Amino acid sequence: MQVLVRDNNVDQALRVLKKKMQREGLFREVKARSAFEKPSEKRAREKAEAIRRQRKLARKKMQREGLLPAPKRAVRPAR
């Protein structure tokens, strides 16, 4: 993972790095590895994640086919 620092603006580069790490799921993985997870808890978590993924894919497919309305986009205020 690489972040460019422009104009010696380290704060902005740090924010970009944290956002990239968040998207990659790095924080979630570090938290999961910090403590032991029982095999039964691991199975339950993986099953829940798989169900969540399948529902998300089905929802996106239905939106593409026009059966569900597309999610509303957040409008950002102009600077």
Side-chain angles (χ1 to χ4, degrees), residues 54-69:
Q54 289 299 321
R55 285 183 180 160
K56 184 176 182 180
L57 285 173
R59 188 171 54 245
K60 284 189 174 194
K61 183 179 178 186
M62 290 177 74
Q63 286 173 352
R64 277 195 304 269
E65 294 173 355
L67 300 174
L68 283 178

Side-chain angles (χ1 to χ4, degrees), residues 27-68:
F27 293 126
R28 194 178 326 121
E29 188 169 339
V30 168
K31 184 179 177 184
R33 289 177 187 253
S34 66
F36 179 74
E37 185 177 24
K38 289 175 25 179
S40 60
E41 291 174 350
K42 182 178 179 183
R43 275 193 304 273
R45 178 183 51 79
E46 288 176 348
K47 186 175 181 179
E49 287 173 357
I51 291 170
R52 198 174 311 119
R53 268 194 314 272
Q54 289 299 321
R55 285 183 180 160
K56 184 176 182 180
L57 285 173
R59 188 171 54 245
K60 284 189 174 194
K61 183 179 178 186
M62 290 177 74
Q63 286 173 352
R64 277 195 304 269
E65 294 173 355
L67 300 174
L68 283 178

